[in-house]
């Protein structure tokens, strides 16, 4: 009876986290779209007529975007858009991995192979995004996801053993 209550709590949390991840994903897409529009607007020089300046900082060096030649401005803008698209693709893969975990939990099957794989994929994408942003916290969160994959894998093995003995 107590295990059933805990499973119901886990289902509710899985469902809530699945919905939260979906909402966060949509917010990230809106920010990516806005960033892409701003990059395009800047690429076509609209900021120059408004008196605004854009400074790019990379590896500790700051470059005034408007001081670059126009072809170089276009090249830098296209590179920024490419990086933005790649980041959105990686975030989408991370969201897909996390949603597979939370959907398995919401369906009342937390100890199955899709949950383990989802945690491992999430760990990979979090590590890549963390390294790409230069933040150690991403690696720590990735290590925690990897650890959780082993915990859920162990739970999956115990569940299989329990099912086979009945």
């Amino acid at each position: 009876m107590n295990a059933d209550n805990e499973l119901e709590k886990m289902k509710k949390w899985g469902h809530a986290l699945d919905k939260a991840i979906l909402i966060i994903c949509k917010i990230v897409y809106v920010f990516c779209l806005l960033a892409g529009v701003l990059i395009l607007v800047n690429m076509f020089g609209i900021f120059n007529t408004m008196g605004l300046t854009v400074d790019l900082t990379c590896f500790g060096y700051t470059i005034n975007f408007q001081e670059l030649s126009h072809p170089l401005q276009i090249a830098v803008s296209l590179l920024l858009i490419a990086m933005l698209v790649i980041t959105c693709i990686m975030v989408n893969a991370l969201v897909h991995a996390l949603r597979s975990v939370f959907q398995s939990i919401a369906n009342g099957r937390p100890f199955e192979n899709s949950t383990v794989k989802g945690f491992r994929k999430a760990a990979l994408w979090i590590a890549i995004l963390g390294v790409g942003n230069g933040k150690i916290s991403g690696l720590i969160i990735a290590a925690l996801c990897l650890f959780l994959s082993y915990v859920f894998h162990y739970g999956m093995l115990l569940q299989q053993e329990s099912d086979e003995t009945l």
Side-chain angles (χ1 to χ4, degrees), residues 23-129:
I23 291 169
I24 290 169
C25 180
K26 289 179 181 182
I27 291 170
V28 167
Y29 287 149
V30 168
F31 279 122
C32 285
L33 183 63
L34 288 175
V37 168
L38 286 175
I39 291 169
L40 288 173
V41 164
N42 189 47
M43 184 171 78
F44 292 117
I46 295 173
F47 282 157
N48 289 340
T49 61
M50 296 170 36
L52 298 174
T53 61
V54 177
D55 290 332
L56 302 172
T57 303
C58 185
F59 301 113
Y61 297 102
T62 301
I63 301 167
N64 186 312
F65 188 79
Q66 282 73 22
E67 291 176 1
L68 299 174
S69 66
H70 187 66
L72 195 53
Q73 286 181 359
I74 291 173
V76 168
S77 296
L78 292 175
L79 180 64
L80 289 172
I81 289 173
M83 290 170 45
L84 186 65
V85 168
I86 290 169
T87 301
C88 285
I89 290 169
M90 289 190 296
V91 167
N92 187 46
L94 171 62
V95 165
H96 181 71
L98 289 174
R99 289 197 72 209
S100 73
V101 168
F102 297 138
Q103 286 172 350
S104 293
I105 293 170
N107 291 333
R109 298 183 313 267
F111 301 114
E112 60 182 22
N113 202 29
S114 65
T115 306
V116 174
K117 285 183 180 179
F119 270 123
R120 290 183 181 165
K121 287 178 184 177
L124 173 70
W125 290 115
I126 290 170
I128 291 171
L129 287 166

